[in-house]
Amino acid sequence: MSPRRARRRESSRPFGFPTGLDKVEEWPDGEWKVRMLTGAASTKNYRCPGCDQEIRPGQPHLVSWPAWSGGDEERRHWHQPCWRKRLDRGPGRSRY
């Protein structure tokens, strides 16, 4: 008789799906919901509003949106350093 193999439990979440909840961050420009992404589930390019460069599929980044109701319509994908430095942007540039 051969030994039994350990079976892996199938997860109900797709690969690359965030395991934690969205966190709320307080900044001088308001409260923001932030979700860290590993990039494993990304299948398309996004444009970071902080540096105007592409975030390619598979690249770790974050998604943020205002914490008010209906704020998820304003969801944006950011490089992590760009998100932290967004308040340093000059006048006339959107902060999200």
Side-chain angles (χ1 to χ4, degrees):
M1 184 193 246
S2 62
R4 294 177 83 184
R5 284 189 174 176
R7 292 185 184 167
R8 291 185 180 175
R9 287 189 354 192
E10 293 294 321
S11 174
S12 61
R13 293 176 182 233
F15 182 71
F17 191 83
T19 56
L21 298 174
D22 304 329
K23 64 180 180 176
V24 176
E25 295 183 3
E26 290 187 36
W27 288 79
D29 61 344
E31 290 185 349
W32 296 86
K33 290 185 182 179
V34 177
R35 179 183 298 160
M36 304 298 286
L37 300 175
T38 62
S42 296
T43 58
K44 63 180 191 176
N45 291 333
Y46 298 99
R47 178 129 345 241
C48 175
C51 64
D52 202 33
Q53 299 296 312
E54 282 188 352
I55 301 173
R56 296 198 171 123
Q59 186 176 7
H61 62 284
L62 61 87
V63 179
S64 68
W65 62 97
W68 62 71
S69 63
D72 45 342
E73 299 287 326
E74 301 293 325
R75 194 168 52 183
R76 300 289 181 264
H77 294 253
W78 293 76
H79 293 111
Q80 291 178 20
C82 297
W83 170 251
R84 288 191 304 267
K85 294 182 178 187
R86 77 183 192 290
L87 297 178
D88 298 338
R89 298 173 72 176
R93 304 242 356 234
S94 173
R95 292 199 170 142
Y96 64 92

